Amino acid sequence: MTQTTESAAARNEDHPADRTPSRGPSRPRIHRAWIVAVVTFVTIIGGAAFNSLPGLLIDPLHTEFGWSRGEIGLAVSIDMALYGLTAPFAAALMDRFGIRRVVVVALTTVAAGAFASVWMTASWQLMIYWGLLVGLGTGSMALAFSATVTNRWFVARRGLVTGILTAAGASGQLIFLPLCAWIVEEHGWRPASVTVALAALVVVPFVWLLMRDHPADVGLAPYGGAYVEKPAPARGAAARTVRVLVDAARTGPFWLLAGTFAICGASTNGLIRTHFVPSAHDHGMPITAAASLLAVIGVFDIIGTVFSGWLTDRFDARRLLAVYYALRGISLLFLPMLMAPTVHPPMVFFIVFYGLDWVATVPPTLALCREQYGEDSAIVFGWVLASHQVGAALVAFLGGVARDVFGSYDMVWYASGALCATAALMALVIRRKAETPEPVVLTGTG
């Protein structure tokens, strides 16, 4: 009886219009969902530090240890693949053990991997520390984390919040890329690795103290929605994750979403984030200048992703995806002609143009997952994200191999541009989920 009364009070507290007006002016409150969103944003920034470093390590590790770019690219590809394959299980684990516990363990794991890499002497150790540990840890803080937070804490403004949280990765890139590039240039790659490990550990107290798993934990309704009781912990997380995959794999939209997002990963994380800096360095551009350009992509990525979230609340997500992929493909076809020892206006235009499109694909992709798969959308999106990272992993590895074989990255840029054109066509053929028709009542006789 007491619990019912408290729930009713919580519902009334979240809807001021339902309460008896109090005397005197009332101060507006910030809904707790926005605080959780800020903590999520900061957490993703901390995780983004690890995604900023691999592209900066290719040349230093090649110089110090003599490892081929293919070997280093393989370690990066393991990281990216595990990042993606862990994401759907992480979403289910968050349902079972709570967001806060899973994220704290993930941050600690990636910090351990980065610290351990300081003492590595063989390429297989790079694959263990940066490939296995960092991959598993960052995968647990992947976009499925954002999807889970958004689905639980927001009903209104979901597209906007998705865009903001997606932009957090770009914000981390903006912060850590120039910093890490300077550290690598002036002090070597080991201090840079320690720096990103410390960045992850700093975030842990904020997550533990401020993150909450569900609005009902603090007696609130989701932002823009009605109060709902916190569901019981979902047991059998791994089995549920696989079951959701099997069910989704029987539908056509899943494969189209997975295919387009694989190309998205191939043309962003696997290509630009991993190989842009060494490619620019091949043309005589200093590492710090190339890393700064990559960081500038992060600035416009924030703008583009948030705007994409706003657009997703208003327009057909399929058409948005088609436009994004088409524009990205066109820009990549021009990139080989823009490489030069110095930064010039056409390269700046590419950086701005590409940055606006970097992960603008996430809000419409997540919206389509939500539309097609309802309550399982976070886990389905985790599997779609896995395809994103598998695509990224393949290009991170094959891009390094192509550089070893051909002596340049030109073929990689052209092939990725063609893949983006394919993704644009795939997005257009995704069928919208048919709505359940309203029952028709027939009257009269005959």
Side-chain angles (χ1 to χ4, degrees):
M1 184 69 177
T2 302
Q3 184 176 1
T4 304
T5 304
E6 290 176 352
S7 298
R11 287 194 294 272
N12 290 334
E13 181 181 354
D14 195 57
H15 297 281
D18 296 335
R19 296 179 297 176
T20 302
S22 58
R23 296 179 179 178
S26 59
R27 299 179 60 186
R29 280 193 313 156
I30 298 176
H31 194 286
R32 184 61 179 266
W34 294 108
I35 297 175
V36 172
V38 169
V39 175
T40 305
F41 189 91
V42 173
T43 302
I44 296 172
I45 287 178
F50 295 89
N51 295 325
S52 301
L53 198 54
L56 302 176
L57 298 183
I58 291 178
D59 285 335
L61 294 178
H62 175 71
T63 301
E64 179 173 340
F65 297 108
W67 302 337
S68 71
R69 290 174 176 82
E71 284 181 288
I72 301 169
L74 179 59
V76 176
S77 71
I78 293 172
D79 170 21
M80 291 182 175
L82 286 177
Y83 176 98
L85 294 172
T86 303
F89 292 96
L93 287 172
M94 288 176 187
D95 287 343
R96 174 66 180 89
F97 298 105
I99 298 173
R100 184 168 59 168
R101 292 179 182 176
V102 172
V103 173
V104 166
V105 171
L107 288 167
T108 305
T109 301
V110 291
F115 273 126
S117 68
V118 172
W119 293 279
M120 66 184 178
T121 56
S123 60
W124 66 265
Q125 293 171 324
L126 177 68
M127 296 174 191
I128 294 295
Y129 302 147
W130 275 95
L132 180 63
L133 292 180
V134 173
L136 289 173
T138 54
S140 299
M141 298 181 295
L143 292 173
F145 170 37
S146 301
T148 302
V149 169
T150 304
N151 288 349
R152 290 186 184 182
W153 282 90
F154 291 87
V155 173
R157 302 291 187 270
R158 276 180 173 172
L160 177 63
V161 174
T162 300
I164 293 172
L165 295 182
T166 303
S171 300
Q173 177 177 296
L174 173 63
I175 295 169
F176 287 102
L177 258 174
L179 174 63
C180 291
W182 177 81
I183 293 174
V184 169
E185 191 82 7
E186 297 295 327
H187 304 287
W189 64 270
R190 289 180 177 84
S193 184
V194 171
T195 299
V196 297
L198 292 175
L201 293 179
V202 166
V203 177
V204 169
F206 291 95
V207 174
W208 190 254
L209 294 174
L210 299 176
M211 177 65 72
R212 292 296 180 269
D213 295 327
H214 195 279
D217 289 340
V218 288
L220 292 176
Y223 181 81
Y227 181 87
V228 292
E229 295 291 346
K230 182 178 181 180
R235 299 184 181 278
R240 181 190 173 202
T241 302
V242 174
R243 185 175 65 254
V244 169
L245 172 63
V246 172
D247 292 341
R250 294 171 180 165
T251 65
F254 173 79
W255 292 106
L256 290 168
L257 288 168
T260 55
F261 224 41
I263 294 172
C264 179
S267 56
T268 53
N269 292 357
L271 183 66
I272 297 293
R273 180 171 286 167
T274 305
H275 295 296
F276 178 81
V277 172
S279 177
H281 190 54
D282 284 347
H283 289 79
M285 186 179 292
I287 290 177
T288 49
S292 296
L293 287 176
L294 202 55
V296 172
I297 286 179
V299 176
F300 291 95
D301 179 18
I302 296 170
I303 299 170
T305 307
V306 173
F307 185 54
S308 176
W310 183 85
L311 290 174
T312 301
D313 287 332
R314 290 160 175 79
F315 298 101
D316 187 338
R318 300 169 303 167
R319 290 182 172 85
L320 290 176
L321 285 178
V323 171
Y324 297 157
Y325 285 121
L327 293 176
R328 182 183 300 176
I330 292 171
S331 66
L332 287 173
L333 293 176
F334 282 96
L335 183 56
M337 294 178 281
L338 304 179
M339 290 293 184
T342 58
V343 178
H344 51 90
M347 175 60 83
V348 174
F349 179 79
F350 167 83
I351 293 297
V352 173
F353 189 85
Y354 195 87
L356 291 171
D357 200 318
W358 178 273
V359 285
T361 55
V362 172
T365 301
L366 180 53
L368 288 170
C369 285
R370 190 179 295 121
E371 173 189 304
Q372 296 283 342
Y373 304 104
E375 294 181 355
D376 291 329
S377 61
I379 297 177
V380 172
F381 182 71
W383 283 113
V384 171
L385 177 63
S387 71
H388 180 282
Q389 293 306 114
V390 169
L394 286 173
V395 171
F397 171 62
L398 294 176
V401 172
R403 171 60 179 81
D404 290 333
V405 173
F406 299 110
S408 76
Y409 285 99
D410 289 358
M411 290 299 298
V412 181
W413 306 128
Y414 294 138
S416 297
L419 283 174
C420 288
T422 303
L425 296 175
M426 292 169 66
L428 289 175
V429 300
I430 297 174
R431 291 185 178 181
R432 301 296 297 267
K433 185 175 182 180
E435 298 182 359
T436 303
E438 294 291 333
V440 178
V441 178
L442 300 177
T443 60
T445 58

